[in-house]
Amino acid sequence: MLSERIQIISSEFGIDISKVKDLKDLENLRLKYLSRNGIIPLLFEDLKSASKEEKPLLGKSLNELRNYATNQFDSLKENLEISSSAKEDKIDLTLPGIIKTLGSKHLLTQTLDEIKSIFKGLGFSILEGPELESDYNNFEALNFPGDHPARDMQDTFFINKEFLLRTHTSPVQIRVMSSQKPPVRAIMPGRVYRNEAVSSRSYCMFHQVEGLYVDTDVTFAELKGTLVSFAQQFYGEGLNYRFRPSYFPFTEPSAEMDITCYLCHGKGCKVCKQTGWLEILGCGMVDPNVFGYVNYDSEKYTGYAFGMGIERTAMLKYGITDIRVFFENDIRFLKQF
Ligand code: PHE
């Protein structure tokens, strides 16, 4: 009987649709029940052979079956499409959000900031000069005469006969003294260049901080007092230091300042080459010849100058043994500071 089959097929459809898990199952369901040769359209074929009296009622319940199946199919299709597109986008709402990491200052910037603030506290202002410098400012006026062997202390990148990449920040001393009268008390940080083979201890470009104080009656004792105060603030109170005679063409007398080796605490090791000491800076009293080049009266004024490498300073403070890490920008290194 057609009316019974309509009943059976309606409940079979209900069971089948409840088993549908994905769009593929759903398509099979459609083929089985709703496609042109599917079960439901075929029932309409059977309707043709029903009696006149039965037709209206059977037709009505067949229409109801078809509408019921189509509606069920449509709404399930919509749901499955939504969840499958969510799967494609790989949205996993249980995952934690993406945390944006904040950048931080490069260790060299942090070190320079600290050096600046200590010297500001000691009454120094901050000045700067260019990296492309004249031979005159970099050597000549700093008392390195033309063929003076001291020029070989620093391997120079020459641009031409007259210009070069500055090999130290000392030419800023010349610029400052040529443009202002004493008293002068300033530090001058910046980038410098040397034509050296790159190794764990030297790089073709690095940073220095120059210091200069010129006034009447400036003494070597003041130089020492200032630098000891700086070193204690920067490296820590308990530190041991010494001043060792040295040579620079633009200072007389000249010295280098050492602090106790951070690694062996003075016992002697590979880092300090068994001396127990590490050099932190060069310094001295401004040579009267330099005053001659900048028209300062060397009978009236005295001054001191010092210079330190910023990479070196950071390396000593944090126990870094390879200068190249400053320029590799490896996040794993930078993140530690
Ligand atoms: N300019 C010297 C250097 O680069 C350092 C220095 C600066 C020494 C000032 C004495 C006075 O090695």
Side-chain angles (χ1 to χ4, degrees):
M1 286 279 287
L2 189 54
S3 64
E4 274 172 8
R5 281 183 45 221
I6 292 172
Q7 289 264 302
I8 291 166
I9 284 163
S10 171
S11 64
E12 276 179 2
F13 178 85
I15 292 165
D16 280 355
I17 199 168
S18 73
K19 290 180 188 157
V20 168
K21 286 194 207 73
D22 52 31
L23 287 167
K24 216 177 120 211
D25 292 349
L26 190 69
E27 175 59 8
N28 288 334
L29 183 88
R30 189 189 67 82
L31 289 171
K32 183 172 173 188
Y33 288 96
L34 294 164
S35 66
R36 195 139 52 87
N37 292 317
I39 293 170
I40 294 171
L42 289 180
L43 287 177
F44 279 90
E45 291 296 316
D46 294 347
L47 185 63
K48 287 177 188 156
S49 50
S51 67
K52 258 190 185 168
E53 297 77 43
E54 283 177 327
K55 252 185 195 166
L57 232 117
L58 283 172
K60 195 173 166 239
S61 45
L62 252 179
N63 274 330
E64 279 169 6
L65 172 64
R66 189 179 54 190
N67 291 342
Y68 158 75
T70 314
N71 288 340
Q72 291 278 303
F73 171 85
D74 286 346
S75 75
L76 185 58
K77 189 172 176 211
E78 199 180 318
N79 287 338
L80 287 175
E81 276 170 353
I82 290 169
S83 61
S84 89
S85 83
K87 237 182 254 161
E88 270 166 29
D89 290 349
K90 298 224 164 50
I91 296 172
D92 182 347
L93 297 175
T94 64
L95 284 176
I98 296 164
I99 297 162
K100 289 210 172 137
T101 44
L102 279 181
S104 61
K105 283 188 181 173
H106 192 282
L107 178 57
L108 283 178
T109 309
Q110 289 182 40
T111 305
L112 179 57
D113 283 351
E114 203 179 337
I115 294 171
K116 277 182 186 166
S117 96
I118 293 171
F119 279 106
K120 265 190 195 167
L122 292 168
F124 286 75
S125 58
I126 294 158
L127 298 172
E128 278 177 21
E131 292 166 30
L132 182 68
E133 198 38 289
S134 63
D135 183 273
Y136 178 83
N137 285 338
N138 195 83
F139 289 125
E140 201 75 29
L142 286 166
N143 203 30
F144 288 82
D147 51 2
H148 196 285
R151 288 191 178 214
D152 293 341
M153 282 166 75
Q154 300 168 357
D155 303 300
T156 310
F157 285 112
F158 284 98
I159 303 296
N160 54 33
K161 272 182 84 105
E162 219 182 316
F163 290 100
L164 44 78
L165 294 178
R166 66 181 178 191
T167 57
H168 52 175
T169 42
S170 300
V172 191
Q173 288 189 40
I174 302 300
R175 287 176 176 271
V176 171
M177 290 191 281
S178 311
S179 63
Q180 65 188 76
K181 292 274 150 257
V184 170
R185 181 153 49 180
I187 58 165
M188 301 147 239
R191 221 171 256 165
V192 303
Y193 300 83
R194 289 191 196 173
N195 192 1
E196 286 173 356
V198 171
S199 73
S200 63
R201 298 191 315 125
S202 63
Y203 203 74
C204 48
M205 183 276 297
F206 57 100
H207 299 77
Q208 286 187 333
V209 183
E210 193 79 8
L212 177 69
Y213 178 32
V214 182
D215 203 345
T216 51
D217 309 314
V218 176
T219 66
F220 196 87
E222 282 179 80
L223 167 61
K224 286 174 76 175
T226 303
L227 293 178
V228 168
S229 170
F230 161 75
Q232 281 173 343
Q233 290 180 65
F234 187 82
Y235 291 102
E237 283 292 330
L239 140 139
N240 253 330
Y241 58 85
R242 71 176 183 185
F243 287 84
R244 187 165 34 76
S246 184
Y247 173 76
F248 300 101
F250 39 94
T251 47
E252 184 60 35
S254 303
E256 281 172 302
M257 185 181 180
D258 295 343
I259 58 170
T260 312
C261 176
Y262 63 85
L263 197 70
C264 63
H265 305 285
K267 289 188 203 79
C269 69
K270 232 173 86 185
V271 170
C272 61
K273 298 202 195 91
Q274 308 306 328
T275 62
W277 296 100
L278 291 167
E279 180 221 316
I280 61 165
L281 53 83
C283 60
M285 301 306 290
V286 179
D287 192 301
N289 282 351
V290 173
F291 284 151
Y293 281 101
V294 296
N295 290 320
Y296 275 16
D297 184 350
S298 60
E299 295 295 318
K300 193 170 164 196
Y301 297 109
T302 53
Y304 65 69
F306 58 86
M308 66 184 102
I310 304 179
E311 284 79 1
R312 188 176 171 77
T313 304
M315 287 166 81
L316 294 176
K317 180 161 179 168
Y318 298 103
I320 297 162
T321 52
D322 193 322
I323 192 170
R324 289 169 292 200
V325 294
F326 289 105
F327 311 111
E328 280 164 358
N329 286 333
D330 186 329
I331 279 292
R332 291 167 302 178
F333 168 72
L334 297 174
K335 253 171 43 179
Q336 296 174 51
F337 304 97

